[in-house]
Amino acid sequence: MAKYGSEKILPYNQEEHKGSQVRRMFDTIAGTYDRLNHTLSFGIDKIWRRRGISFLRPFAPKRILDIATGTGDLAISMYKALHPDLIVGADISTGMMEIGKEKVATAGLSRHIIFEQQDCMALTYADNSFDAVTAAFGVRNFEEIERGIAEMYRVLKPGGHLMILELSTPERFPMRQLYRVYSNNVIPFIGQLLSKEKSAYAYLPASIKAVPQGKVMTDLLERQGFEQAAARTFTFGICSLYTGSKK
């Protein structure tokens, strides 16, 4: 499997596997994650999720796997918009999913959205299990991105669809320069101020810079078998939407 830059970006040290560090990091910041996430994106992340869900709407998926589900924001939004039979939220961090379970219970959706701890590099689901597989802002945290994408393809049913949202680096002036200042200075400062977890919010901008973007990502999807792989960007290139289908 090919290696990409974001796989080499680690929250804490070079001795542990990335998966172990990412799990510990998100368990640590779970209580403040939602507030920080919406603050740092000025709430625009909600619009990005709606754009991703709009891609899935024509296909009316009945069983959806939401990889790196975190606290369940995408899963909850998908259920409200698409009304599938079941959404499985899978994540490596139990701390994040505990917050998600509370949110789902409050929304009265516990029968429709369930959470399961999973290693995205080795999902326990059978081949061809889901009508759609999604991931919002989690692919850059994979220990091996191409292996994680291969697992997404494996568990997707023929005729099913993939939808990935990921933060990205703007390419054009002056947004590229402004975003560099914001990500290198503002994000770590606010993250440390509100969560007391400096490492996590230094890791975030570094991982965004290193994650595959644009054609590099769509080429990766095609190597793993996805057809009609496509990319589009939102908000001057700060967020990218990647889509594909399984024949």
Side-chain angles (χ1 to χ4, degrees), residues 170-235:
E171 297 181 351
R172 296 184 179 180
F173 176 87
M175 198 63 194
R176 182 179 181 89
Q177 287 71 20
L178 292 171
Y179 184 73
R180 182 183 300 145
V181 172
Y182 181 73
S183 62
N184 289 344
N185 299 283
V186 178
I187 290 177
F189 174 75
I190 295 178
Q192 184 179 5
L193 186 68
L194 298 182
S195 76
K196 311 302 180 185
E197 178 66 13
K198 181 178 180 180
S199 297
Y201 290 93
Y203 162 82
L204 174 62
S207 65
I208 295 170
K209 291 177 187 175
V211 73
Q213 295 184 198
K215 190 175 185 303
V216 178
M217 180 64 89
T218 55
D219 285 348
L220 186 162
L221 297 179
E222 289 174 352
R223 281 198 302 275
Q224 292 308 319
F226 284 101
E227 298 191 344
Q228 299 176 312
R232 61 179 299 192
T233 61
F234 308 124
T235 319

Side-chain angles (χ1 to χ4, degrees), residues 17-23 65-69 88-94 97 115-125 138 141-145 147-152 154-155:
H17 289 298
K18 180 169 183 176
S20 299
Q21 295 187 46
V22 166
R23 180 175 62 249
L65 175 62
D66 185 33
I67 294 286
T69 194
V88 179
D91 203 288
I92 199 170
S93 167
T94 55
M97 290 189 291
F115 292 86
E116 296 180 345
Q117 186 176 31
Q118 291 279 332
D119 179 353
C120 299
M121 302 300 98
L123 297 170
T124 61
Y125 309 113
N141 299 317
F142 287 3
E143 190 160 342
E144 295 180 45
I145 292 175
R147 184 175 172 186
I149 296 296
E151 280 292 275
M152 293 168 133
R154 180 183 67 79
V155 302

Side-chain angles (χ1 to χ4, degrees), residues 1-244:
M1 295 290 181
K3 289 284 188 178
Y4 300 92
S6 61
E7 296 162 326
K8 301 173 185 176
I9 306 298
L10 306 176
Y12 299 116
N13 59 68
Q14 297 296 323
E15 286 69 46
E16 291 178 276
H17 289 298
K18 180 169 183 176
S20 299
Q21 295 187 46
V22 166
R23 180 175 62 249
R24 186 164 81 253
M25 180 187 75
F26 281 111
D27 282 346
T28 300
I29 66 174
T32 58
Y33 179 80
D34 282 341
R35 181 162 59 102
L36 271 168
N37 195 34
H38 299 322
T39 298
L40 292 170
S41 71
F42 303 101
I44 302 173
D45 59 304
K46 298 176 183 179
I47 298 174
W48 297 335
R49 288 187 183 88
R50 288 201 293 269
R51 296 285 186 88
I53 293 168
S54 293
F55 164 76
L56 293 174
R57 194 185 304 276
F59 311 115
K62 295 302 180 184
R63 287 177 54 88
I64 301 173
L65 175 62
D66 185 33
I67 294 286
T69 194
T71 63
D73 275 355
L74 179 61
I76 293 170
S77 295
M78 283 195 294
Y79 184 79
K80 290 179 178 179
L82 305 176
H83 303 290
D85 294 334
L86 178 68
I87 298 177
V88 179
D91 203 288
I92 199 170
S93 167
T94 55
M96 295 285 278
M97 290 189 291
E98 286 304 315
I99 303 293
K101 289 176 184 177
E102 293 175 9
K103 290 161 62 175
V104 165
T106 299
L109 300 177
S110 297
R111 290 178 54 200
H112 305 286
I113 302 173
I114 64 173
F115 292 86
E116 296 180 345
Q117 186 176 31
Q118 291 279 332
D119 179 353
C120 299
M121 302 300 98
L123 297 170
T124 61
Y125 309 113
D127 296 357
N128 309 320
S129 294
F130 297 94
D131 301 301
V133 178
T134 64
F137 316 116
V139 166
R140 66 179 181 278
N141 299 317
F142 287 3
E143 190 160 342
E144 295 180 45
I145 292 175
E146 195 140 359
R147 184 175 172 186
I149 296 296
E151 280 292 275
M152 293 168 133
Y153 182 85
R154 180 183 67 79
V155 302
L156 187 64
K157 291 180 181 179
H161 293 84
L162 174 75
M163 188 278 286
I164 294 173
L165 286 165
E166 190 53 83
L167 296 172
S168 49
T169 303
E171 297 181 351
R172 296 184 179 180
F173 176 87
M175 198 63 194
R176 182 179 181 89
Q177 287 71 20
L178 292 171
Y179 184 73
R180 182 183 300 145
V181 172
Y182 181 73
S183 62
N184 289 344
N185 299 283
V186 178
I187 290 177
F189 174 75
I190 295 178
Q192 184 179 5
L193 186 68
L194 298 182
S195 76
K196 311 302 180 185
E197 178 66 13
K198 181 178 180 180
S199 297
Y201 290 93
Y203 162 82
L204 174 62
S207 65
I208 295 170
K209 291 177 187 175
V211 73
Q213 295 184 198
K215 190 175 185 303
V216 178
M217 180 64 89
T218 55
D219 285 348
L220 186 162
L221 297 179
E222 289 174 352
R223 281 198 302 275
Q224 292 308 319
F226 284 101
E227 298 191 344
Q228 299 176 312
R232 61 179 299 192
T233 61
F234 308 124
T235 319
F236 307 104
I238 293 174
C239 177
S240 293
L241 169 66
Y242 303 101
T243 58

